[in-house]
Amino acid sequence: IRVLHHLRSRHPSATLTMAGQEKGLTAEVRSEAHDLGLDDAVDFAGFLGPEQKPGVFGAHDIYLHTNHVDNTPVSVLEAAAAGLPIVATDVGGIPHLLEHEHTALLVPDDDEVAMADAVERLLAEPDLVERLSRNARELAEGSSWSAVRDKWERVFERVLEGD
């Protein structure tokens, strides 16, 4: 919400869709959106099932991952597979999954100005968007079950052979 608030000063038509499982914070976040005058700019979509995600991803330009703690979020891989450029907090397993300026732009945790600046950079640099999108899509393809299954099978074979 605070990232959108920063962006709206220069991009008054910017909008945000907040999606994900309810974890007891929706009322507080809705209140913050109201206090910042963003009622009309935020869609609280809630949990999105697999059938909904392609349409929602296709209707957006950038994926923001603002979590304070995360390991290997499936949502990031789904956004990557959809071709969205990603801005994510540099927390937990994120820097092991995403590479700054290669598959995403990584920003410090709880720094809405840095995240808004990263979004501004994407809006100003279409070549960067194309590169991040392409590289992230390759990351997502390499994370698919068909790609990962063979790697796991090789690990199990080595373990069973005593290597």
Side-chain angles (χ1 to χ4, degrees):
I1 296 296
R2 294 184 309 246
V3 174
L4 179 62
H5 181 67
H6 285 285
L7 290 169
R8 292 275 287 205
S9 65
R10 286 188 268 181
H11 305 280
S13 64
T15 61
L16 175 69
T17 297
M18 295 194 73
Q21 292 179 328
E22 168 57 49
K23 295 184 180 177
L25 298 173
T26 300
E28 180 182 332
V29 175
R30 281 183 186 271
S31 177
E32 184 175 11
H34 176 75
D35 292 347
L36 293 173
L38 298 172
D39 290 321
D40 64 328
V42 182
D43 175 18
F44 291 91
F47 178 78
L48 300 174
E51 65 285 343
Q52 298 164 301
K53 288 179 184 179
V56 172
F57 284 148
H60 292 79
D61 299 312
I62 299 169
Y63 180 81
L64 302 180
H65 192 76
T66 61
N67 292 21
H68 299 296
V69 176
D70 223 327
N71 290 318
T72 308
V74 172
S75 61
V76 168
L77 291 172
E78 291 170 329
L84 288 173
I86 298 165
V87 179
T89 49
D90 190 6
V91 299
I94 298 290
H96 302 284
L97 176 65
L98 301 172
E99 182 181 344
H100 181 60
E101 296 204 9
H102 181 72
T103 52
L105 295 180
L106 301 180
V107 299
D109 183 31
D110 206 24
D111 189 341
E112 67 262 15
V113 173
M115 188 161 277
D117 288 347
V119 170
E120 289 277 0
R121 187 169 170 209
L122 293 174
L123 295 173
E125 298 180 36
D127 290 344
L128 175 63
V129 169
E130 194 280 324
R131 185 178 79 241
L132 293 177
S133 176
R134 182 184 63 247
N135 293 338
R137 203 170 332 197
E138 289 175 10
L139 169 69
E141 289 169 3
S143 301
S144 70
W145 176 242
S146 60
V148 174
R149 181 186 61 231
D150 293 340
K151 293 175 185 175
W152 276 110
E153 287 176 354
R154 286 193 297 276
V155 168
F156 290 138
E157 287 170 5
R158 285 198 317 259
V159 168
L160 292 172
E161 292 170 0
D163 287 348

